[in-house]
Amino acid sequence: MLGIMSAEVIYTASDLDRKRREVTDAARRGVARIRDTDGMGLVLLPAKHYEVLDTVSRWHDRLDVAERALAKPSGDRVPRDFGDLTWLRHFDDEDLATFITELRAAVSVAYHDDDLTELDQLVRDWRITADELADPARRHVLLGGF
């Protein structure tokens, strides 16, 4: 995902001023490590990389929440069991398990490809389906027999 620099260069805070182009070029290639004057380590990286890392991290936590909800008997589940994914409560156990499996794969692809496109589309599709299932009439049409 993130490019590894051939030599582990750690810039100083003053390098941000004196070697601005070198530091930003290193960040463009993947990451620029900076040691602040108080000794704190900082990292400069492309915003897209940060967005992917942040999103993947949040979805990884949400996977844990969904798995814990699935582990509970369906009759004992309440909306808060799903955290900020309360829309998942409209799925039965089989669909919820499928969502978790597909989401886990999409999170992995997003991380390794440094691209959120598939993950975003997957979540959108599942959310649309959940919204349809939330309406009793539509649920009957979708799940009812012919």
Side-chain angles (χ1 to χ4, degrees):
M1 176 175 168
L2 291 177
I4 303 297
M5 295 169 42
S6 57
E8 189 72 21
V9 176
I10 300 177
Y11 297 99
T12 65
S14 62
D15 288 337
L16 291 173
D17 209 19
R18 293 184 298 114
K19 300 179 182 179
R20 181 180 70 250
R21 178 49 59 204
E22 183 180 332
V23 174
T24 57
D25 284 348
R28 286 175 192 277
R29 290 190 304 272
V31 64
R33 298 180 188 287
I34 302 162
R35 180 79 53 215
D36 201 356
T37 54
D38 63 358
M40 176 180 276
L42 304 169
V43 176
L44 185 65
L45 61 141
K48 179 184 174 190
H49 292 315
Y50 174 79
E51 182 182 341
V52 169
L53 291 172
D54 184 54
T55 301
V56 163
S57 175
R58 276 192 263 131
W59 277 109
H60 186 4
D61 285 346
R62 289 173 176 146
L63 274 166
D64 289 342
V65 170
E67 287 173 334
R68 282 193 303 276
L70 180 60
K72 288 179 80 170
S74 60
D76 293 345
R77 291 182 202 136
V78 293
R80 75 172 174 265
D81 290 334
F82 296 97
D84 66 342
L85 302 176
T86 56
W87 52 270
L88 290 176
R89 73 187 184 281
H90 301 295
F91 294 117
D92 62 20
D93 286 357
E94 184 179 336
D95 286 338
L96 187 53
T98 300
F99 169 78
I100 290 168
T101 299
E102 289 181 7
L103 184 64
R104 186 172 308 288
V107 165
S108 179
V109 167
Y111 176 77
H112 292 289
D113 289 357
D114 198 28
D115 185 357
L116 297 171
T117 306
E118 286 183 39
L119 176 60
D120 290 342
Q121 185 62 51
L122 177 84
V123 172
R124 261 192 307 277
D125 291 348
W126 278 96
R127 180 70 191 254
I128 289 168
T129 303
D131 289 346
E132 293 295 314
L133 292 173
D135 179 284
R138 289 189 201 141
R139 183 178 191 89
H140 177 72
V141 169
L142 289 170
L143 302 179
F146 291 104

